[in-house]
Amino acid sequence: DQQVKQNSPSLSVQEGRISILNCDYTNSMFDYFLWYKKYPAEGPTFLISISSIKDKNEDGRFTVFLNKSAKHLSLHIVPSQPGDSAVYFCAASGVSSGSARQLTFGSGTQLTVLP
Amino acid sequence: DTGVSQDPRHKITKRGQNVTFRCDPISEHNRLYWYRQTLGQGPEFLTYFQNEAQLEKSRLLSDRFSAERPKGSFSTLEIQRTEQGDSAMYLCASSFRASGERFGYTFGSGTRLTVV
């Protein structure tokens, strides 16, 4: 049962254009959503997050949009640069069955920015 | 501070052998997490510690897996009687209190386990 889904395994965009990575979730108890970037042979690196009480958060070239009614979020990268080529993971957190919080990850989208 | 360190980076073992991985978190972080990532999937939660206390374990963590954080600093993850299905990247992460779930954990580079 995948609670966080990234339905596009890969995405290619031209340098300078906008990259849009999408993510859907099913658990309405999630209250924070995060995006991580991962280069080969490295661990995931935190990129940006958004609280469920907001619909947009911006940090430089990265903007995350949240549509709670659709249980959908997206990451926009403008302008895209070749160094942005990596696997992007969407993740969500909320109160789990225990007392702790944990991150639930999607399966990732490989972004390739073409020069 | 050099971030989260994991050792070894790679481990190849024969089926049935025991393996142990080590994680050194960022020094001021009191929470430490273990995740597992298989090919084509995102990281999956295994367990987490607050200081030396193991507060939650995933059902993915079978009785062949054990994790410790004896002094609230470094942690070890041991897999006994390894199986081929244990082949994965094992990721350690740390955060200060619950900030990680809002502002991101810091992950290490992982230990890649291959069971042959």
Side-chain angles (χ1 to χ4, degrees):
Chain A
D1 177 28
Q2 274 192 299
Q3 298 187 70
V4 177
K5 296 181 183 181
Q6 294 177 258
N7 292 318
S8 298
S10 63
L11 174 69
S12 292
V13 298
Q14 210 67 37
E15 181 179 3
R17 297 290 186 97
I18 183 172
S19 296
I20 300 176
L21 297 101
N22 294 303
C23 178
D24 298 295
Y25 64 96
T26 57
N27 188 341
S28 58
M29 297 299 290
F30 289 139
D31 56 3
Y32 270 88
F33 302 90
L34 305 89
W35 285 94
Y36 278 83
K37 178 170 72 174
K38 186 180 184 304
Y39 292 119
E42 295 183 12
T45 303
F46 171 73
L47 203 53
I48 191 169
S49 65
I50 187 168
S51 163
S52 60
I53 63 173
K54 295 187 175 182
D55 54 19
K56 178 182 174 181
N57 188 27
E58 192 172 353
D59 184 2
R61 296 185 298 114
F62 302 92
T63 303
V64 56
F65 294 92
L66 176 63
N67 182 335
K68 280 189 67 177
S69 60
K71 293 191 174 67
H72 177 84
L73 65 153
S74 60
L75 175 68
H76 293 210
I77 306 174
V78 182
S80 300
Q81 300 173 352
D84 296 330
S85 297
V87 177
Y88 288 78
F89 290 102
C90 170
S93 71
V95 177
S96 67
S97 56
S99 61
R101 287 170 166 264
Q102 57 180 266
L103 292 181
T104 302
F105 284 84
S107 55
T109 297
Q110 171 70 57
L111 173 66
T112 302
V113 180
L114 304 169
Chain B
D1 193 340
T2 56
V4 178
S5 299
Q6 292 189 247
D7 184 67
R9 292 294 304 273
H10 303 275
K11 178 71 177 179
I12 300 174
T13 191
K14 291 184 178 179
R15 190 176 53 186
Q17 297 294 304
N18 299 343
V19 293
T20 300
F21 311 139
R22 176 180 170 122
C23 172
D24 288 90
I26 292 173
S27 57
E28 61 266 28
H29 285 180
N30 60 345
R31 286 200 174 183
L32 186 149
Y33 307 82
W34 286 98
Y35 279 74
R36 181 175 72 183
Q37 185 180 10
T38 54
L39 198 62
Q41 299 299 316
E44 295 175 293
F45 172 78
L46 292 179
T47 188
Y48 103 100
F49 294 82
Q50 181 156 301
N51 300 313
E52 66 274 11
Q54 188 174 18
L55 296 186
E56 188 169 342
K57 293 195 291 186
S58 162
R59 62 180 182 275
L60 294 176
L61 213 66
S62 76
D63 56 7
R64 297 185 297 106
F65 288 70
S66 62
E68 294 183 344
R69 193 183 183 196
K71 296 182 180 178
S73 57
F74 74 92
S75 175
T76 58
L77 177 68
E78 180 183 15
I79 309 174
Q80 295 183 328
R81 306 180 303 281
T82 52
E83 302 173 355
Q84 286 188 321
D86 297 332
S87 295
M89 174 74 82
Y90 290 84
L91 292 162
C92 177
S94 69
S95 73
F96 181 68
R97 294 188 177 175
S99 64
E101 288 83 12
R102 294 173 174 80
F103 308 116
Y105 308 149
T106 301
F107 278 92
S109 297
T111 294
R112 179 165 296 285
L113 173 66
T114 303
V115 181
V116 297

